[in-house]
């Protein structure tokens, strides 16, 4: 049967919220906040990994320690690899997503939901992505041994890239509503449609535009070598 506009809106309104809200709801009161943040962390790690196939469909990626299982050379186990980015950014975003969700919910007096508070939800999206990615940039600049002697320059450059990239993620809250119309409310309300797909697309644009990380651009030295570009 064909869904009417009113039926579609009613079916999806209850479900369209942030990844943090989704995971907190899924975690339940007995599991607690740590489980919810952990689930969000896992979602964001998977989204970052999948986004590499969108940005670099024909290129080999440097996953550090895990390269040995992909028949690729291990140059660095962790620092400066895609694995560092996957783990570090996801950890920061999981914290800022839940923190921002809590801040906006308290300010509004009601659970933050895109269908109810679209403007506030878009503001939340920009806030938690920018603060999360910038927190990762700061940690990487401070602790990555590859940045020795140029840590402040790395932080400033990364913060600017974070700002530019975050501005491209405005569409993230609209992904689930679009999926609801294309694939149906059940898909849009699922973890796949409401969390993983929006996050994967947002990762692609934030990294791709902010750091110009597309195709043969944005590759580290190990990736340049693996792809015969040097």
């Amino acid at each position: 049967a064909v869904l009417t506009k009113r039926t579609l809106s009613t079916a999806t309104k209850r479900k369209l919220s942030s990844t943090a809200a989704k995971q907190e709801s899924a975690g339940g009161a007995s599991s607690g906040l740590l489980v919810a943040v952990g689930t969000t962390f896992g979602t964001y790690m998977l989204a970052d990994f999948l986004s590499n196939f969108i940005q670099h469909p024909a290129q080999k990626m440097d996953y550090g320690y895990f390269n040995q299982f992909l028949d690729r050379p291990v140059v660095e186990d962790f620092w400066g690899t895609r694995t560092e980015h996957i783990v570090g950014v996801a950890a920061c975003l999981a914290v800022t997503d839940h923190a921002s969700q809590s801040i906006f919910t308290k300010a509004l007096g009601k659970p933050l939901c895109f269908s109810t508070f679209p403007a506030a939800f878009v503001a939340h999206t920009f806030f938690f992505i920018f603060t999360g990615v910038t927190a990762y940039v700061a940690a990487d600049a401070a602790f990555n041994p590859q940045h020795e002697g140029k840590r402040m320059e790395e932080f400033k450059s990364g913060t600017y890239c974070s700002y530019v990239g975050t501005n491209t993620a405005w569409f993230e809250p609209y992904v689930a509503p679009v999926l609801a119309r294309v694939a149906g409310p059940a898909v849009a309300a699922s973890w796949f449609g409401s969390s993983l797909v929006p996050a994967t697309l947002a990762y692609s644009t934030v990294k791709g535009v902010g750091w110009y990380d597309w195709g043969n651009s944005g590759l580290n030295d190990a990736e340049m070598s693996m792809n015969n570009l040097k």
Side-chain angles (χ1 to χ4, degrees), residues 58-127:
Q59 288 76 27
K60 296 178 181 179
M61 298 287 93
D62 175 21
Y63 292 106
Y65 173 83
F66 299 100
N67 282 354
Q68 60 188 304
F69 306 111
L70 302 171
D71 195 27
R72 299 172 189 174
V74 177
V75 178
E76 293 284 346
D77 284 339
F78 182 74
W79 295 112
T81 69
R82 300 281 168 171
T83 298
E84 180 204 350
H85 191 277
I86 289 172
V87 175
V89 173
C92 293
L93 286 179
V95 172
T96 59
D97 191 354
H98 283 268
S100 177
Q101 178 79 15
S102 177
I103 292 170
F104 276 86
T105 295
K106 289 180 180 178
L108 295 169
K110 297 180 181 179
L112 180 62
C113 179
F114 181 60
S115 59
T116 308
F117 303 105
F121 197 95
V122 172
H124 152 73
T125 300
F126 176 87
F127 177 72

Side-chain angles (χ1 to χ4, degrees), residues 14-165:
R14 297 189 301 270
K15 297 293 185 178
L16 302 181
S17 57
S18 73
T19 297
K22 281 286 176 183
Q23 307 308 343
E24 287 190 32
S25 176
S30 61
S31 298
L33 182 61
L34 287 179
V35 172
V37 173
T39 304
T40 304
F41 172 56
T43 299
Y44 284 148
M45 282 201 297
L46 180 57
D48 194 352
F49 174 72
L50 293 176
S51 71
N52 288 329
F53 293 96
I54 297 176
Q55 297 166 252
H56 305 281
Q59 288 76 27
K60 296 178 181 179
M61 298 287 93
D62 175 21
Y63 292 106
Y65 173 83
F66 299 100
N67 282 354
Q68 60 188 304
F69 306 111
L70 302 171
D71 195 27
R72 299 172 189 174
V74 177
V75 178
E76 293 284 346
D77 284 339
F78 182 74
W79 295 112
T81 69
R82 300 281 168 171
T83 298
E84 180 204 350
H85 191 277
I86 289 172
V87 175
V89 173
C92 293
L93 286 179
V95 172
T96 59
D97 191 354
H98 283 268
S100 177
Q101 178 79 15
S102 177
I103 292 170
F104 276 86
T105 295
K106 289 180 180 178
L108 295 169
K110 297 180 181 179
L112 180 62
C113 179
F114 181 60
S115 59
T116 308
F117 303 105
F121 197 95
V122 172
H124 152 73
T125 300
F126 176 87
F127 177 72
F128 94 80
I129 292 178
F130 176 71
T131 55
V133 175
T134 303
Y136 165 76
V137 166
D140 178 63
F143 300 110
N144 189 337
Q146 297 174 352
H147 300 325
E148 187 67 41
K150 54 177 181 177
R151 298 192 185 281
M152 184 54 67
E153 290 80 0
E154 285 292 329
F155 173 69
K156 291 179 179 178
S157 173
T159 299
Y160 175 75
C161 292
S162 175
Y163 173 74
V164 173

